[in-house]
Amino acid sequence: MDQDNTKIIPTSCIHNCGGRCLLKAHVKEGILIQLTTDDSPDTDQFPQARACLKGRAQRQRLYDPDRLKYPMKRVGERGEGRFNRISWDEAFDTITGQMQRIKQMYGNEAIHLLYGTGVYGQISQSWITPDMGGALPRFLHMFGGYLGYYNTYSSACFSYSAPYTYGVAEGNSPDDLVNAKLIVLFAENMAETRMGGAGAAYYLKLAKDKGAKIVVVDPRYSDTASALADEWIPIRPTTDNALIDAMAYVMLTETLHDQTFLDTYCLGFDEEHMPPGIPAGHSYRSYLFGLSDDKIVKTPEWAERITGIPRDSIVRLARQIGRTKPACLLQGLGWQRHAYGEQPVRALPVLAAMTGSLGKKGGGPGLRLGGHKVPMGWVPAGTNPVKASISCYMWPEAILRGKEMTAADGVQGAAGLATDIKMIWSYASNILINQHSDCNGTARILQDESKCEFILVHDVVMTPSAKFADILLPDVTHFEREDITTYSSGIGYAIYHQKVVEPMYECKDIYTITSELANRLGFGNQFTEGKTEQDWLRECVKAAQDKDPRFPAFEDFRRQGIYKAAPPEPVIAYEQQIADPVHHPFQTPSGKIEIFSPRLWEKNNAREVPAVPKYISAWEGPDSPLTAKYPLQCIGYHCKQRVHSTFDNIPWMEEAGKQEVWISPGDAEERGIMNGEQVKVFNDRGAMIIAAKVTPRIMPGVAAIPQGAWWSPDSQGIDRRGNINTITKYHPTPLAKGNPQHTNLVQIEKA
Ligand SMILES: Nc1nc2c(c(=O)[nH]1)N[C@H]1C(S)=C(S)[C@@H](COP(=O)(O)OP(=O)(O)OC[C@H]3O[C@@H](n4cnc5c(=O)[nH]c(N)nc54)[C@H](O)[C@@H]3O)O[C@H]1N2
Ligand SMILES: Nc1nc2c(c(=O)[nH]1)N[C@H]1C(S)=C(S)[C@@H](COP(=O)(O)OP(=O)(O)OC[C@H]3O[C@@H](n4cnc5c(=O)[nH]c(N)nc54)[C@H](O)[C@@H]3O)O[C@H]1N2
Ligand code: SF4
Ligand SMILES: [Mo]
């Protein structure tokens, strides 16, 4: 407390940005008057958990006059956004009534907990996986369960296909970047996607200071490329496999590869190392040299035609990688949010293996960065009595035709679904309309009340998804409750966020809501065990202390707000497997790095799910017949001004990054478009009006829109804010059933 009665209370920022940053709330007379951030010494080992622009703007969210203030029920058509105020009593009665009715009529499997990533915390977590806990899954499990999901919108193709190569996906931790001589980033824009002070972008900067060469392969001259790269290689979206194939071809023909490494650790690189029973011509090498079905030799000239990258650049990059051993080849998630997003994920590891870069400092397996972990307990959720789950992306299909869905549609845990989805619980999620593909198509599904009969939304503001609620509940922000958060990509920090102001308006947090619902449903005591939020948090810390004896006492942790677990050394992925392959095989069936995957071979779908990673021409890719009508490839990207859709309603953020479509000068000139002019971006699925950013920072033939803008259709159905999901397609990827939201063809014209 300083002399003018201002208290400084540690808190955090809690959204899904891959970071986790410390905030310090300056509170005077119950009002949060200022936010500052981590000012402890900034060292390589313990970088400050400094907040980015968004964390520092959190007061704008807390005191946003448009916050939801009381429970409401829908009075207009679904999606229209007309609501009446109701009491909490009525809200609770309606929810328990609907839950019981739906359970009785259709069974618990008809209740779907929607993917949503707005809140991270050991009590209030919104993104739920079976190994996590939290109040919401605990409550739903006790009610008899719900239809859950696997996959994420983030990394469906990555997480699903990397294990086919490696068994378990690992990566070197970000603090190892400083040991690298050459870092090649594919579809990885960490300057925007890992922005916190303790994030990967910080280590990339340290690596550059130490002399690492940095190359960025991206259709856009991203912030990472502009701030840190020595070279930018623009590429047509969906074509990275062709680039990688041609580089592998160059390395082989110039003998730049490490044959001993391949012979020792890999399955299926060449015909000499194939699993038994596979006919000749199916190794990766045969594919490169035109000895497999397509008969095409994967030369740099071939790749130039597909990728748009000049032949000489391909050869130069291949030599640079081949001559720098180890090389740090890193993938972001941008290239796997595509039509055949499974393929590049498994292709880059081939180059990593060819250069023998695995298991070494300054190298890596060609996957994503890994990280240091910090132990922490959860509010225990128990297990879900409903065993079936769907890919998180396929819920609209499960509303329309759930009963028909089987393993072929990606249903896991059961042969098929017993019912269509009849109720959606959407907590801290804008997936319902904004973040899922094809807003117009999704709206049509949701508008039909005979399909999904009840939609519950719990958020802090009237988002586009909130407008589709039948019952809309106002949440507190994390400043108005207590929790602990640990999730961060890279560095192992745990952060305690204290309640810094009292709950505003009639807002209620998820623990209070689920406790009250449990009471009314008759299992209140079992649910709460008589514990307050803080009691649960003490148990979470106790679990952490059991695993890490240095974890501070609860009161100290709460007062300090942050615990920085000491990372002794960088994590080096597959270090043991490389050092001692006999005792530490890879966790694949063969124990090898499966460049050729027998498990994929058995899928018997060589065109869309090949056993070795291949270039597959995308359904809305650069050589699709649809380019005649819609000639531009339109990708989205994750931008610094928002975390997805969170912060889109905060005007300050528009000053940091505008909502505009990137278009190259040539494409703009052809269409008579000037920088800053309003343009129409459209295809058969929808249209939006948005400002044009005419810039050489994007590859000709490609357009890019920052994802996450709030879908705002006018009376004609034309989106006026520029939500890229107006034009994205619902089309699950063949293997992972993931979201190909960066694969879209559009036309752009003057508005
Ligand atoms: N076209 C396209 N679509 C995409 C992507 C893309 O690249 N392109 N990216 C995808 C990815 S990777 C992801 S992870 C998803 C993310 O999609 P979502 O998980 O929906 O993420 P957000 O848009 O941030 O929405 C989170 C919601 O939480 C709310 N929220 C924030 N704080 C609180 C709180 O304290 N309490 C409550 N109750 N609510 C809160 C916000 O208002 C917002 O409505 O989007 C996916 N959609
Ligand atoms: N500030 C901020 N940070 C975030 C988020 C956010 O919304 N805002 N979201 C967080 C979440 S949940 C996630 S999942 C991650 C997402 O992280 P990513 O998925 O890695 O982010 P994207 O911006 O979708 O893609 C990264 C880059 O890939 C490029 N790209 C797109 N298609 C291709 C392609 O075909 N080939 C190549 N080579 N490049 C391509 C894009 O131009 C972009 O620069 O970010 C996290 N961090
Ligand atoms: S990097 Fe992420 S957690 Fe950190 S302040 Fe920014 S938005 Fe919040
Ligand atoms: Mo994500």
Side-chain angles (χ1 to χ4, degrees):
M1 182 102 60
D2 62 19
Q3 68 273 59
D4 74 343
N5 280 334
T6 305
K7 272 197 274 182
I8 299 182
I9 308 172
T11 173
S12 73
C13 186
I14 54 138
H15 308 297
N16 179 17
C17 66
R20 203 49 70 233
C21 304
L22 185 70
L23 290 174
K24 294 183 178 178
H26 300 238
V27 179
K28 189 175 175 180
E29 289 159 16
I31 308 285
L32 174 53
I33 56 168
Q34 192 191 356
L35 285 169
T36 52
T37 185
D38 194 358
D39 54 7
S40 61
D42 196 24
T43 64
D44 292 6
Q45 198 188 7
F46 292 120
Q48 289 175 340
R50 268 192 320 277
C52 78
L53 65 161
K54 297 177 286 297
R56 292 167 200 242
Q58 283 282 16
R59 277 182 74 250
Q60 304 286 309
R61 290 186 64 247
L62 171 65
Y63 293 126
D64 180 356
D66 292 335
R67 271 189 56 183
L68 298 175
K69 302 182 178 68
Y70 33 74
M72 294 194 281
K73 72 171 178 201
R74 172 170 67 86
V75 289
E77 301 282 295
R78 269 238 187 101
E80 223 185 315
R82 289 201 295 128
F83 292 92
N84 273 356
R85 179 176 186 167
I86 55 172
S87 66
W88 273 104
D89 243 353
E90 184 180 343
F92 288 136
D93 281 345
T94 311
I95 296 166
T96 49
Q98 290 283 8
M99 287 180 75
Q100 281 167 317
R101 180 184 69 80
I102 287 164
K103 177 176 179 159
Q104 205 178 11
M105 283 182 69
Y106 308 103
N108 281 75
E109 206 179 289
I111 301 173
H112 184 52
L113 174 57
L114 196 65
Y115 178 92
T117 65
V119 172
Y120 279 71
Q122 310 309 110
I123 299 176
S124 300
Q125 182 77 13
S126 64
W127 167 53
I128 312 293
T129 68
D131 55 344
M132 293 177 173
L136 182 52
R138 178 179 173 84
F139 164 74
L140 288 173
H141 292 168
M142 287 183 182
F143 180 68
Y146 61 93
L147 178 66
Y149 54 78
Y150 62 90
N151 274 352
T152 61
Y153 279 72
S154 311
S155 64
C157 286
F158 179 89
S159 305
Y160 209 93
S161 40
Y164 282 99
T165 301
Y166 283 121
V168 174
E170 293 181 12
N172 293 15
S173 55
D175 45 340
D176 179 54
L177 286 173
V178 297
N179 298 316
K181 291 178 287 225
L182 171 68
I183 301 171
V184 189
L185 302 172
F186 296 83
E188 167 62 89
N189 179 24
M190 51 177 83
E192 283 198 86
T193 59
R194 297 290 182 249
M195 293 185 81
Y202 169 82
Y203 287 101
L204 190 65
K205 163 78 170 54
L206 291 185
K208 186 172 178 73
D209 293 346
K210 291 210 169 138
K213 289 273 164 289
I214 300 171
V215 180
V216 169
V217 181
D218 197 307
R220 297 182 310 121
Y221 188 61
S222 64
D223 282 13
T224 307
S226 79
L228 296 168
D230 295 278
E231 188 179 3
W232 169 45
I233 301 198
I235 185 166
R236 289 189 190 120
T238 71
T239 68
D240 296 78
N241 280 76
L243 167 65
I244 291 171
D245 292 343
M247 291 202 289
Y249 175 86
V250 172
M251 284 186 209
L252 276 179
T253 48
E254 301 189 4
T255 335
L256 297 173
H257 66 296
D258 184 340
Q259 187 68 44
T260 315
F261 187 97
L262 294 168
D263 293 347
T264 313
Y265 300 103
C266 300
L267 182 76
F269 180 79
D270 46 36
E271 295 295 322
E272 289 71 45
H273 299 87
M274 286 295 279
I278 306 293
H282 288 95
S283 67
Y284 183 71
R285 199 175 195 284
S286 295
Y287 160 71
L288 290 185
F289 285 96
L291 305 171
S292 63
D293 300 347
D294 68 6
K295 305 275 181 278
I296 297 169
V297 185
K298 307 303 179 306
T299 61
E301 292 75 13
W302 165 81
E304 172 174 342
R305 287 193 296 277
I306 294 170
T307 61
I309 305 171
R311 175 207 171 271
D312 291 351
S313 301
I314 298 174
V315 173
R316 189 165 35 78
L317 184 59
R319 288 179 183 157
Q320 203 179 354
I321 293 173
R323 288 175 184 156
T324 315
K325 295 194 183 84
C328 175
L329 310 174
L330 275 180
Q331 48 179 305
L333 296 172
W335 70 0
Q336 54 90 64
R337 219 170 283 110
H338 270 298
Y340 296 103
E342 293 95 352
Q343 298 312 312
V345 171
R346 295 190 66 237
L348 195 57
V350 180
L351 287 192
M354 287 179 75
T355 52
S357 297
L358 283 92
K360 299 194 178 123
K361 283 192 174 175
L367 297 177
R368 301 170 63 196
L369 281 174
H372 298 281
K373 298 207 164 47
V374 53
M376 185 53 63
W378 288 97
V379 168
T383 49
N384 189 350
V386 172
K387 294 302 164 216
S389 69
I390 55 172
S391 157
C392 64
Y393 180 60
M394 292 184 69
W395 58 271
E397 220 173 312
I399 291 177
L400 289 180
R401 51 175 287 269
K403 271 191 286 203
E404 295 165 19
M405 285 169 66
T406 65
D409 305 292
V411 173
Q412 293 187 357
L417 297 187
T419 166
D420 302 342
I421 291 175
K422 290 294 177 185
M423 166 176 171
I424 286 181
W425 187 309
S426 170
Y427 164 58
S429 169
N430 208 349
I431 289 289
L432 206 48
I433 193 78
N434 214 71
Q435 296 303 108
H436 182 72
S437 298
D438 187 10
C439 299
N440 292 300
T442 316
R444 283 191 291 275
I445 295 171
L446 294 175
Q447 272 151 5
D448 183 345
E449 293 169 43
S450 73
K451 299 261 167 19
C452 183
E453 296 174 6
F454 183 60
I455 300 177
L456 171 63
V457 174
H458 186 199
D459 207 301
V460 289
V461 273
M462 182 66 84
T463 63
S465 292
K467 290 188 178 162
F468 283 82
D470 296 318
I471 292 285
L472 179 51
L473 303 179
D475 199 3
V476 298
T477 66
H478 66 287
F479 294 127
E480 299 151 79
R481 58 177 180 81
E482 300 224 354
D483 213 333
I484 293 170
T485 176
T486 61
Y487 180 85
S488 81
S489 300
I491 207 83
Y493 291 177
I495 302 185
Y496 193 107
H497 65 79
Q498 293 188 34
K499 185 201 273 187
V500 299
V501 296
E502 287 306 311
M504 293 175 61
Y505 317 111
E506 288 186 17
C507 300
K508 286 194 200 293
D509 62 78
I510 189 74
Y511 186 60
T512 308
I513 289 174
T514 45
S515 302
E516 180 58 32
L517 290 173
N519 265 337
R520 287 168 185 248
L521 291 164
F523 55 89
N525 292 339
Q526 189 196 348
F527 177 75
T528 64
E529 296 178 15
K531 289 173 189 154
T532 64
E533 286 188 351
Q534 218 188 78
D535 295 333
W536 288 114
L537 293 174
R538 279 177 196 278
E539 291 185 8
C540 293
V541 170
K542 172 78 178 49
Q545 287 162 342
D546 290 345
K547 291 200 186 115
D548 175 2
R550 290 163 310 154
F551 205 99
F554 178 81
E555 298 301 343
D556 294 337
F557 176 43
R558 184 170 184 271
R559 197 178 54 251
Q560 288 154 7
I562 190 161
Y563 168 61
K564 302 182 178 182
E569 281 290 316
V571 175
I572 306 299
Y574 311 115
E575 201 170 17
Q576 287 187 320
Q577 285 88 334
I578 300 303
D580 181 5
V582 176
H583 298 102
H584 298 280
F586 285 88
Q587 290 178 49
T588 52
S590 64
K592 303 270 183 188
I593 300 169
E594 296 193 345
I595 292 171
F596 176 97
S597 165
R599 289 175 290 172
L600 293 178
W601 173 263
E602 279 159 23
K603 306 257 176 211
N604 207 12
N605 179 5
R607 198 188 83 72
E608 290 201 295
V609 186
V612 296
K614 287 185 177 174
Y615 169 67
I616 308 174
S617 154
W619 51 76
E620 292 196 17
D623 57 3
S624 151
L626 197 63
T627 50
K629 192 171 173 198
Y630 298 119
L632 298 170
Q633 287 185 273
C634 184
I635 55 170
Y637 67 96
H638 292 234
C639 61
K640 56 183 165 284
Q641 64 268 31
R642 290 189 289 267
V643 180
H644 311 289
S645 69
T646 306
F647 292 97
D648 193 44
N649 56 331
I650 305 301
W652 282 10
M653 292 297 121
E654 196 74 10
E655 295 173 26
K658 288 203 177 70
Q659 188 59 25
E660 48 194 9
V661 55
W662 296 30
I663 181 168
S664 74
D667 289 325
E669 199 188 335
E670 224 175 77
R671 292 164 174 79
I673 294 165
M674 308 283 277
N675 189 37
E677 270 185 342
Q678 294 292 107
V679 295
K680 184 172 168 189
V681 181
F682 63 99
N683 58 21
D684 289 342
R685 295 178 288 270
M688 71 184 90
I689 307 276
I690 182 175
K693 174 189 174 102
V694 178
T695 172
R697 289 180 61 176
I698 188 148
M699 172 134 193
V702 184
I705 297 172
Q707 66 98 17
W710 284 18
W711 186 56
S712 312
D714 63 16
S715 55
Q716 315 294 306
I718 297 175
D719 174 32
R720 291 284 167 168
R721 174 63 185 151
N723 182 325
I724 185 164
N725 287 318
T726 305
I727 57 94
T728 58
K729 184 180 186 200
Y730 176 76
H731 188 154
T733 63
L735 176 66
K737 309 293 178 204
N739 47 325
Q741 282 167 295
H742 291 343
T743 302
N744 313 288
L745 289 174
V746 297
Q747 180 55 294
I748 300 184
E749 59 188 34
K750 276 170 88 120

